[in-house]
Amino acid sequence: MLSIVSTLAGAATVLATALTIPLALPQPAVPPVAAATEFRLAETEPGPGLTPIEKDGQTLYLRPEVIISTPDIASAEQSFDPLWGQPVVSLELNSAGRDRLAAFTGAHVGKMLAITVDGALLTAPVIQSVIPDGRLQISGVQSLAEAMELAGKLGHPPTPSSRSLADSLRSRFEHL
């Protein structure tokens, strides 16, 4: 009986020690950086002060004014279009971005709004109506993997941290 008690006590000590040892999560060589995202008015014809940008053989010309940029994005996540089931990236803007986009889209219905990521044209949809709530969907991504990668870039991915096993287990089971 004494042998079982001492074995259990030893196991409890080992487990308690293991629960407090920090887990060394792999650290990337360079912390993830949010993509440089810009929303700008696009034209189909060249003009003074416009910057040409090309995608799939089509050239658009961007106005210099940036309407929305990376700091305006509060969150981004991969989701699916409810009508077609295709992968999309859903964005939510912070209050400043929401107000700026609402005013801009209200004044530019029928115009193209180019969205660039790291200097490459992602898409340039025509503004159909005012976007008052700061919630948007980027469609036209080629795959689920591309949508997930883009959402990660736009959503300002957190840098990995070091947590103990106890912290990891606690956070996993808190909601139960």
Side-chain angles (χ1 to χ4, degrees), residues 94-104 132:
N94 61 27
S95 60
R98 178 195 63 224
D99 295 345
R100 217 169 30 259
L101 185 65
F104 180 83

Side-chain angles (χ1 to χ4, degrees), residues 1-11:
M1 176 80 169
L2 186 58
S3 164
I4 293 173
V5 172
S6 65
T7 302
L8 287 175

